[in-house]
């Protein structure tokens, strides 16, 4: 049995704003009966761009109905520009959280809202492929590469299973799992590269902050790399800009250790902590 | 809590008599039945009695044909692995697309380690074709594993006819009878079944105990390797309390089997008939006649199963659904898909499975509540308006039932 929040149960048992609007000035339909859920949303937007009314109809499970219901509450009375910023996370949070397997219900709400806003602005949505010009990855549920990229980035997803929970991709025949894995890898490779290019270095550090940051950098950035080669490093002391370390394991005997020290350890510390640092080995 | 429990194919309540029979074997008679002392030996005697009750329900008398297992899944695994290991040169398995995951996922797993697996299709009523079965079995086929009755639809396969074909072709025949044992009379004495799996908790016994029938003379290698228990066919200290509970449950099932096939069947039929006539756009899933007496699986078009279950739950009615959402997977039940049930119906399937504990009053409540629930969800469903229009256009059946909007 799903562990639904009281809020989900409340919105499922007593859905708000069910129905249709006569002469809506925006509407959208997402999902399909084959996929197991579908949401139809209609908006009445006034001349100032304020959403005066929103109505929905849903074919779907408890959390799909609750997601649609709370979405209408979240947007009525707000400006279209403001509601355009609503993410699936906002919908899930407003419901007091959703089980991970049900996050796709909140994604359907976000998609419907986005499509309705596009419709309001005079664009029409076509098939998923035409709509975002990217490759169709999951044929069972009609999910494109761009959509997968987006849920991976926005929700910090790392596995195919998570992607399936969030946007259904990969939940059918499973033939696209390796493609989804490639997309996940690609997203995080790009992210990692971005991180390396622009390390955020604090400008002014107190001594305590500096030592903490050095410790952190040694643990996070330096030790794993040395350990991978059978070596290790220990932070002994920090005197001003002088960082005293001891090399252990394979590093202790390695003839190339001076290179490692200056070329790698010192460079990493300068990159992440402060340009003025230099590293010295102490024998302990 | 006065729950109306109609999910007996998932699990059943332990009968009071079963619990009573089991309890002394936890704190009082806790000896190891394999021990040499009387304290353990007296437990062994009760285990023998329990096995006599199990074989009696199966229509046989030799207790050495029973190997106790920890559950239905282990029993299925032991049957298939035990046979494959006994016939190492045969590398082909025949099963069906509608098996329980205990068989289906095991076969799919084996197909990745060098076995060839044929999954036989079923028709729209969930029935197999004997000709397709005959064509599928080859000299290389080690085992044919077919369920007796389907857990989702209750559809009963013609096991003896299937067995004849399997024997003609010279393969071993395993039957997952987890849903059938205790619900319909079985007679293994005159059967061609080589191996048959059953589970305690489906027939008012405890969870954590099952059994595998291995016909005398059948080649079998143990799946759970260990001590000499179960005549060397399944290692592990006997679950005395569980086995004694299973024995008692079998005895009760034998006594109640007539009630199951008359009174319980009548309740099921009444429920089914009421749902099929009082709700528009509804269908029965599975063969109407070849079915377990306790199970009905109906689909309500344009509504989703989990939503129906949640509303039933708010009335304290427990049932099950083949919808995608209830399983956490995204596809509706593999059984309904194998039967080719249209998507408009597949997501809205509900299974009611009764037991001898259900009453007429409970069924009346369900008959009253379900149409309200379906109407409520259809009022929210974007597909429903079109559907009523379609029904009207065809002039089919009832005068337009307005979707309470």
């Amino acid at each position: 049995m799903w562990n639904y929040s009281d809020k989900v149960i409340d919105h499922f048992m007593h859905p708000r704003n069910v129905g249709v609007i006569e002469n809506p000035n925006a509407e959208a339909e997402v999902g399909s009966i084959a996929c197991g859920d579908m949401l139809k949303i209609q908006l009445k937007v006034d001349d100032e761009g304020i959403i005066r009314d929103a109505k929905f109809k849903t074919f779907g499970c408890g959390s799909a109905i609750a997601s649609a219901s709370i979405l209408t509450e979240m947007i009525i009375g707000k400006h279209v520009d403001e509601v355009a910023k609503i993410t699936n996370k906002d919908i899930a949070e407003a419901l007091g959280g959703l089980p991970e397997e049900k996050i796709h219900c909140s994604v359907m709400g976000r998609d419907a809202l986005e499509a309705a806003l596009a419709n309001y602005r005079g664009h029409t949505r076509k098939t998923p492929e035409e709509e975002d010009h990217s490759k169709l990855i999951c044929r069972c549920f009609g999910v494109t590469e761009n959509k997968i990229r987006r849920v991976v980035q926005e929700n910090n997803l790392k596995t195919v299973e998570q992607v399936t929970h969030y946007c259904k991709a990969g939940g059918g025949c499973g033939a696209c799992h390796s493609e989804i894995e490639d997309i996940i890898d690609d997203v995080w490779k790009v992210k990692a590269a971005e991180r390396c290019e622009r390390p955020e270095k604090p400008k002014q550090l107190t001594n305590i902050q500096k030592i903490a940051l050095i410790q952190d950098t040694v643990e996070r950035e330096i030790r794993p790399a040395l350990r991978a080669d059978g070596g290790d490093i220990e932070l002994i002391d920090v005197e001003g800009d002088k960082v005293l370390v001891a090399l252990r394991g394979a590093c202790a005997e390695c003839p190339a250790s001076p290179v490692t020290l200056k070329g790698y350890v010192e460079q990493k510390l300068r990159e992440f902590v402060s340009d003025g640092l230099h590293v010295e080995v102490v024998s302990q | 809590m006065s729950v109306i429990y109609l999910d007996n194919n998932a699990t059943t309540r332990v009968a009071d008599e079963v619990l009573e029979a089991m309890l002394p074997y936890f704190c009082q008679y806790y000896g190891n039945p394999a021990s040499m002392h009387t304290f353990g030996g007296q437990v062994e005697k009760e285990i023998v009695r329990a096995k006599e009750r199990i074989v009696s329900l199966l229509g046989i008398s030799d207790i050495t044909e029973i190997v106790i297992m920890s559950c239905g899944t282990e029993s299925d695994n032991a049957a298939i692995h035990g046979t494959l290991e006994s016939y190492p040169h045969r590398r082909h398995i025949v099963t069906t697309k509608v098996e329980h995951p205990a068989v289906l996922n095991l076969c799919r797993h084996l197909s990745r380690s060098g076995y060839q697996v044929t999954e036989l299709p079923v028709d729209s009523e969930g029935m197999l074709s004997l000709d397709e079965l005959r064509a599928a079995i080859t000299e290389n086929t080690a085992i044919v594993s077919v369920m007796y009755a389907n857990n989702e639809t209750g559809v009963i396969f013609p096991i003896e006819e299937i067995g004849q074909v399997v024997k003609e072709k010279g393969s071993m025949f395993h039957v997952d009878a987890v849903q059938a044992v205790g619900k319909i009379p079985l007679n293994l004495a005159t059967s061609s079944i080589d191996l048959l799996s059953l589970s305690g908790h489906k027939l008012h016994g405890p969870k954590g105990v099952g059994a595998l029938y291995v016909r005398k003379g059948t080649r079998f290698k143990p799946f759970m390797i260990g001590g000499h228990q179960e005549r060397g066919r399944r290692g592990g200290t006997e679950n005395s309390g569980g086995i004694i509970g299973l024995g008692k449950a079998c005895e009760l099932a034998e006594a109640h089997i007539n009630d199951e096939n008359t009174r319980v069947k009548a309740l099921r039929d009444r429920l089914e008939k009421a749902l099929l006539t009082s709700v528009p756009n509804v269908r029965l899933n599975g063969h109407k006649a070849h079915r377990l007496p306790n199970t009905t699986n109906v689909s309500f078009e344009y509504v989703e199963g989990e939503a129906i279950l949640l509303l039933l739950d708010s009335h304290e009615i427990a049932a099950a659904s083949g919808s995608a959402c209830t399983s956490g997977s995204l596809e509706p039940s593999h059984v309904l898909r194998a039967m080719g049930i249209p998507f408009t119906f597949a997501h809205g399937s509900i299974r009611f499975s009764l037991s001898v504990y259900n009453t007429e009053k409970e069924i009346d409540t369900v008959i009253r509540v379900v149409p309200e629930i379906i109407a409520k969800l259809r009022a929210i469903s974007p597909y429903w308006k079109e559907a009523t229009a379609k029904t009207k256009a065809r002039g089919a059946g009832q005068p337009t039932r307005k979707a309470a909007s």
Side-chain angles (χ1 to χ4, degrees), chain A residues 2 4 13 33 58 102 172, chain B residues 304 306 325 331 376 380 383:
Chain A
W2 301 115
Y4 282 141
M13 296 297 290
I33 205 158
T58 290
K102 295 290 193 168
Chain B
E304 198 278 334
E306 185 204 287
C325 283
E331 301 253 9
K376 177 175 176 174
I380 308 177
Y383 294 111

Side-chain angles (χ1 to χ4, degrees), chain A residues 94-116:
Chain A
L95 284 170
L98 282 172
E100 192 170 42
E101 292 88 339
K102 295 290 193 168
I103 296 284
H104 62 82
C105 296
S106 65
V107 174
M108 183 167 75
R110 198 272 322 270
D111 284 355
L113 174 64
E114 198 177 78

Side-chain angles (χ1 to χ4, degrees), chain B residues 151-355:
Chain B
N151 49 311
E152 293 188 24
T153 58
V155 166
I156 298 173
F157 281 144
I159 286 298
E160 289 315 321
E161 291 167 46
I162 293 170
Q164 258 173 23
V165 175
V166 176
K167 290 295 122 189
E168 265 168 42
K169 301 284 251 175
S171 273
M172 299 309 289
F173 187 30
H174 169 241
V175 174
D176 173 356
V178 164
Q179 292 294 345
V181 173
K183 291 180 189 144
I184 50 173
L186 301 187
N187 187 359
L188 296 185
T190 58
S191 167
S192 50
I193 296 171
D194 296 308
L195 301 132
L196 177 136
S197 297
L198 64 94
S199 172
H201 75 105
K202 305 287 192 195
L203 61 151
H204 306 289
K207 293 167 183 68
V209 65
L212 177 64
Y213 156 81
V214 183
R215 192 170 47 78
K216 203 157 212 169
T218 303
R219 286 195 212 172
F220 181 77
K221 293 246 177 6
F223 173 60
M224 184 82 90
I225 314 267
H228 57 274
Q229 293 89 352
E230 300 297 301
R231 303 160 61 86
R233 293 172 158 203
R234 201 271 185 184
T237 297
E238 290 87 344
N239 168 13
S240 324
I243 299 167
I244 287 157
L246 172 60
K248 189 70 193 175
C250 287
E251 186 186 60
L252 289 173
E254 203 176 345
H256 291 159
I257 208 144
N258 197 31
D259 192 32
E260 181 92 31
N261 286 276
T262 51
R263 188 180 63 85
V264 175
K265 185 171 185 287
L267 284 180
R268 189 275 312 266
D269 289 343
R270 199 151 75 81
L271 170 64
E272 186 172 284
K273 201 175 157 202
L275 296 181
L276 293 177
T277 51
S278 69
V279 182
N281 296 61
V282 59
R283 63 172 278 161
L284 175 67
N285 296 319
H287 195 284
K288 196 160 167 44
H290 299 299
R291 223 155 26 118
L292 290 175
N294 79 318
T295 309
T296 180
N297 186 317
V298 287
S299 277
F300 302 97
E301 202 173 21
Y302 304 120
V303 288
E304 198 278 334
E306 185 204 287
I308 304 172
L309 290 185
L310 286 171
L311 288 176
L312 285 170
D313 194 64
S314 72
H315 290 272
E316 295 191 274
I317 298 168
S321 168
S323 92
C325 283
T326 52
S327 58
S329 85
L330 293 167
E331 301 253 9
S333 134
H334 70 285
V335 176
L336 299 185
R337 273 183 296 141
M339 290 161 65
I341 307 289
F343 272 117
T344 56
F345 280 103
H347 289 285
S349 81
I350 296 291
R351 176 190 71 189
F352 296 102
S353 48
L354 286 65
S355 83

Side-chain angles (χ1 to χ4, degrees), chain A residues 149-182:
Chain A
R149 278 181 184 278
R150 182 167 171 188
V151 294
V152 168
Q153 273 167 351
E154 283 182 356
N155 300 287
N156 197 22
L157 308 184
K158 297 285 161 64
T159 66
V160 175
E161 195 188 0
Q162 284 179 312
V163 169
T164 306
H165 294 330
Y166 278 69
C167 68
K168 294 194 168 190
C173 68
C176 60
H177 283 190
S178 66
E179 277 182 278
I180 297 174
E181 276 169 353
D182 289 345

